[in-house]
């Protein structure tokens, strides 16, 4: 830690670091310089965000735990480590952050809604950037599966250029994701895979769709039609499309919004006098979404392999 002082470490943007770890704020609750999250700290399994980051002060506070502090305090809690290990991890983050390509760096901050509207696609191609491949590994999505459905998208925002994993929609736009950014390039729309099947599988976001493709490799063979909403705003708008199918299996997030829309769909069953809609989120009932369930399962398998390797 001789090459970096404490003040430099303390100035690491907490929003940036949380995104690096795979945690993103609740858009509806976040405003001004205050960002709210489902608590990322160990042992905190909540459905209503209670973890707040004051970006101006660069401090966090977990209302459920009654604890808060600087990014160093967060690192100690999040990684359950000592101060030396925490500083090593934060220095590693800085090294990763500074080591990105200057031509197409990853986002280091969350753009404002006005900035998002200015995203301009420069080029697309196969996913090959090491940072994006690393991000897929963190989310437990094999590169081969991601390449089947996604592109590496280079885009401009203002006078700067960036790159992300891009998931195309039906209108020619992209959902954009990397370790630091979650957004989209207009136009915003659903992504519908029409395999001429009678059943439909519905997903809220594309990482959940990719997770299902990991669990059910035959997805690529077109065993069913699939709908990725890309936003819950398209759920009711997609009702007529969904109800063209015999059975509709819902894999929505298990947060408050996802549960509300799932219940709404189940109420449509009563209106129609038939059971078209099925809540399939029971598969990952202890997690917020299908990708979180996939990541948790992979983590448990890794721990079991480690224990067997140690002879436990």
């Amino acid at each position: 830690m001789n090459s970096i002082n404490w003040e430099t470490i303390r100035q690491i943007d907490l929003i940036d670091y949380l995104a690096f770890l795979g945690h993103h704020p609740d858009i509806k609750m976040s405003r001004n310089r205050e960002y709210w999250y489902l608590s990322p700290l160990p042992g905190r399994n909540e459905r209503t965000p209670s973890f707040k980051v004051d970006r101006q002060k660069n401090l966090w506070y977990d209302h459920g735990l009654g604890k808060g502090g600087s990014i160093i305090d967060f690192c100690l809690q999040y990684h359950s480590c000592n101060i030396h290990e925490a500083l090593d991890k934060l220095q590693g983050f800085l090294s990763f952050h500074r080591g990105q390509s200057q031509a197409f760096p990853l986002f280091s901050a969350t753009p404002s809604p006005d900035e998002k509207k200015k995203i301009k696609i420069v080029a697309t191609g196969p996913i090959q950037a090491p940072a994006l491949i690393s991000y897929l590994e963190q989310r437990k999505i094999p590169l081969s599966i991601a390449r089947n459905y996604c592109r590496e998208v280079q885009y401009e925002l203002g006078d700067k250029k960036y790159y992300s994993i891009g998931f195309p929609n039906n209108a020619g736009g992209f959902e954009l994701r990397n370790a630091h950014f979650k957004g989209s390039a207009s136009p915003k729309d659903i992504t519908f895979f029409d395999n001429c099947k009678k059943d439909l599988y519905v997903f809220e976001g594309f990482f959940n769709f990719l997770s299902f493709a990991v669990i059910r490799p035959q997805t690529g063979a077109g065993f069913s039609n699939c709908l990725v909403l890309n936003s819950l705003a398209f759920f009711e708008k997609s009702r007529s499309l969904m109800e063209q199918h015999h059975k509709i299996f819902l894999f929505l997030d298990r947060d408050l919004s996802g549960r509300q829309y799932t219940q709404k769909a189940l109420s449509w069953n009563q209106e129609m006098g038939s059971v078209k809609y099925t809540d399939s989120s029971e598969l990952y009932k202890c997690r917020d979404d299908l990708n979180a369930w996939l990541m948790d399962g992979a983590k448990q398998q890794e721990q079991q392999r480690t224990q067997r390797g140690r002879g436990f």
Side-chain angles (χ1 to χ4, degrees):
M1 280 300 302
N2 293 333
S3 61
I4 279 188
N5 61 42
W6 284 70
E7 191 57 32
T8 302
I9 290 291
R10 288 182 182 277
Q11 289 177 2
I12 294 175
D13 190 339
L14 260 168
I15 302 296
D16 194 3
Y17 188 62
L18 284 164
F20 174 76
L21 296 171
H23 304 287
H24 302 283
D26 183 292
I27 297 174
K28 294 180 181 178
M29 290 185 63
S30 301
R31 57 182 59 87
N32 299 325
R33 303 291 286 180
E34 292 186 348
Y35 294 76
W36 290 84
Y37 296 76
L38 294 171
S39 178
L41 295 177
R44 301 280 284 114
N45 186 16
E46 60 184 11
R47 295 185 178 179
T48 302
S50 68
F51 183 95
K52 183 181 75 172
V53 174
D54 185 321
R55 197 169 199 177
Q56 186 170 4
K57 297 178 181 178
N58 204 33
L59 297 174
W60 63 276
Y61 189 80
D62 189 316
H63 289 266
L65 288 178
K67 294 181 179 180
S70 69
I71 190 168
I72 298 175
D73 299 311
F74 172 78
C75 200
L76 289 168
Q77 293 279 336
Y78 184 86
H79 296 289
S80 301
C81 60
N82 61 41
I83 186 65
H84 299 293
E85 292 169 332
L87 294 175
D88 282 344
K89 290 180 184 297
L90 291 170
Q91 183 170 351
F93 166 74
L94 281 175
S95 298
F96 171 88
H97 184 65
R98 290 171 176 173
Q100 301 307 316
S101 163
Q102 293 303 307
F104 292 99
L106 293 177
F107 260 97
S108 60
T110 304
S112 68
D114 288 339
E115 289 175 321
K116 289 181 183 179
K117 296 176 183 177
K118 300 176 184 177
I119 291 176
K120 178 182 177 182
I121 303 298
V122 175
T124 67
I127 299 171
Q128 56 188 9
L132 297 181
I133 294 173
S134 175
Y135 178 54
L136 288 169
E137 290 173 350
Q138 292 174 26
R139 302 292 294 263
K140 304 305 177 185
I141 305 297
L143 180 59
S144 59
I145 288 179
R147 281 179 170 168
N148 282 339
Y149 303 101
C150 304
R151 305 284 286 170
E152 180 173 314
V153 176
Q154 298 175 355
Y155 54 98
E156 294 179 347
L157 193 158
D159 59 351
K160 296 182 179 179
K161 295 181 179 180
Y162 306 88
Y163 64 93
S164 288
I165 295 166
F167 181 71
N169 64 40
N170 284 14
F174 285 92
E175 293 301 305
L176 301 173
R177 301 287 187 278
N178 63 40
H180 300 275
F181 178 61
K182 178 179 181 180
S184 59
S186 298
K188 184 92 172 176
D189 201 1
I190 62 171
T191 304
F192 178 54
F193 296 94
D194 187 358
N195 296 309
C196 300
K197 302 296 182 180
K198 294 182 178 180
D199 293 340
L200 177 70
Y201 286 64
V202 181
F203 305 89
E204 189 169 329
F206 78 86
F207 263 100
N208 292 323
F209 167 72
L210 295 178
S211 299
F212 191 75
V214 174
I215 300 166
R216 298 282 293 271
Q218 61 267 47
T219 297
F223 81 103
S224 174
N225 287 357
C226 290
L227 171 64
V228 184
L229 295 166
N230 295 320
S231 170
L232 283 174
F234 291 111
F235 187 77
E236 292 187 71
K237 296 177 182 178
S238 301
R239 180 176 178 178
S240 61
L241 171 62
M242 291 190 288
E243 292 180 3
Q244 292 174 20
H245 297 82
H246 180 65
K247 292 289 185 180
I248 306 153
F249 300 92
L250 302 175
F251 291 84
L252 303 187
D253 293 357
R254 291 186 66 86
D255 58 9
L256 180 60
S257 296
R259 298 303 301 157
Q260 287 176 340
Y261 277 96
T262 297
Q263 291 305 312
K264 179 182 288 289
L266 296 180
S267 72
W268 293 342
N269 284 338
Q270 297 177 350
E271 290 179 15
M272 295 181 292
S274 63
V275 182
K276 272 185 175 286
Y277 293 92
T278 298
D279 178 10
S280 298
S281 68
E282 193 71 12
L283 172 65
Y284 45 95
K285 61 182 179 181
C286 296
R287 296 293 177 265
D288 288 333
D289 58 39
L290 187 55
N291 184 243
W293 179 83
L294 177 68
M295 292 170 64
D296 187 62
K299 183 178 179 180
Q300 291 180 7
Q301 290 177 6
E302 185 176 334
Q303 290 174 342
Q304 290 172 359
R305 285 194 296 268
T306 300
Q307 290 176 351
R308 286 197 295 268
R310 293 176 178 173
F312 293 128

